[in-house]
């Protein structure tokens, strides 16, 4: 896919550029980003160069992942990264993708990441035809969960040993958002399961 750019009231979501290398390198020194996201540790400048110069363009080109640099519209400061990943089922009848993100420490708690997430969710539904958008994060990542909930995701449970991080398997929270949660139509009809707390039928 050709990279796209999205805009919100305060933000620009655009493809990563070589000029972002220093900002990405600085952001990924943050202990929380290293704790919760799959970045190399220690995070070297060469890792940032690899990310912005090779990985991001390759993923757009090969439809592996659509990664956005989230920057402020009034100054171009890097706020974080926002991505659609795990696109194996995007163009199958499952129409599935996963949302992931991280935020630069000094730009947290300003609503920026939720604002960017809502823009990508809307684009996924209206521009890509996604019919189920998932989110997962290590259990305990309260900041990431707050962003997901603000973007309309609904918690669905805990997946045991889903995430491999720093050589160990970690349990993960899982949530999803559907077009219908946003009041949008979808091509494939949805038949929800019966309520699980219904009284069983008596013989």
């Amino acid at each position: 896919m050709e990279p796209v750019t999205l805009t919100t009231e305060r933000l620009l979501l655009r493809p990563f550029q070589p000029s972002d290398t220093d900002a990405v390198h600085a952001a990924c020194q943050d202990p929380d980003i290293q704790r919760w996201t799959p970045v190399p540790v220690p995070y070297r400048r060469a890792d940032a160069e690899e990310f912005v110069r090779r990985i991001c363009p390759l993923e757009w080109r090969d439809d592996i992942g659509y990664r956005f640099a989230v920057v402020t519209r009034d100054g171009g400061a890097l706020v974080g990264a926002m991505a659609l990943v795990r696109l194996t089922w995007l163009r199958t009848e499952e129409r599935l993708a996963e949302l992931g993100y991280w935020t630069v420490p000094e730009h947290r708690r300003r609503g920026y990441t939720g604002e960017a997430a809502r823009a990508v969710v809307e684009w996924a539904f209206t521009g890509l035809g996604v019919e189920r958008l998932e989110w997962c994060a290590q259990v305990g990542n309260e900041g990431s969960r707050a962003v997901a909930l603000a973007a309309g995701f609904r918690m669905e449970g805990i997946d045991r040993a889903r995430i491999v991080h720093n050589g160990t398997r970690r349990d993960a929270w899982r949530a999803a958002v559907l077009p219908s949660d946003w009041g949008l139509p979808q091509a494939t009809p949805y038949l929800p399961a019966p309520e699980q707390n219904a009284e069983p039928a008596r013989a």
Side-chain angles (χ1 to χ4, degrees), residues 115-203:
E115 185 175 325
R118 288 188 291 274
V120 175
V121 170
E122 182 177 16
W123 176 63
F125 289 153
T126 61
L128 299 177
V130 170
E131 294 188 354
R132 175 180 167 87
L133 186 57
E134 295 185 340
W135 162 89
C136 81
Q138 286 184 48
V139 171
N141 190 346
E142 296 287 355
S144 184
R145 181 166 73 165
V147 169
L149 294 176
F153 285 79
R154 298 186 184 182
M155 299 300 297
E156 295 183 340
I158 294 176
D159 292 343
R160 295 183 303 152
R162 174 168 176 167
I163 294 174
V164 177
H165 188 63
N166 292 336
T168 61
R169 288 194 171 273
R170 316 291 178 93
D171 293 344
W173 282 323
R174 172 176 31 84
V177 62
L178 310 178
S180 57
D181 297 328
W182 274 50
L184 297 171
Q186 64 185 45
T188 308
Y190 170 39
L191 179 62
E195 290 292 333
Q196 296 299 305
N197 58 2
E199 287 290 329
R202 297 184 180 273

Side-chain angles (χ1 to χ4, degrees), residues 24-25 27-44 47-48 51 67 81 101-102 138 164-166:
V24 170
H25 177 243
C28 291
Q29 306 309 307
D30 174 56
D32 283 337
I33 290 178
Q34 294 185 3
R35 177 184 180 186
W36 300 117
T37 62
V39 300
V41 179
Y43 196 86
R44 305 163 302 165
D47 297 313
F51 178 73
R67 297 186 187 270
Y101 40 83
W102 51 258
Q138 286 184 48
V164 177
H165 188 63
N166 292 336

Side-chain angles (χ1 to χ4, degrees), residues 34-63:
Q34 294 185 3
R35 177 184 180 186
W36 300 117
T37 62
V39 300
V41 179
Y43 196 86
R44 305 163 302 165
R45 193 177 192 283
D47 297 313
E49 290 178 345
E50 172 80 355
F51 178 73
V52 301
R53 293 176 181 271
R54 192 188 70 84
I55 292 175
C56 293
L58 178 69
E59 290 187 343
W60 277 100
R61 187 194 72 192
D62 293 346
D63 290 322

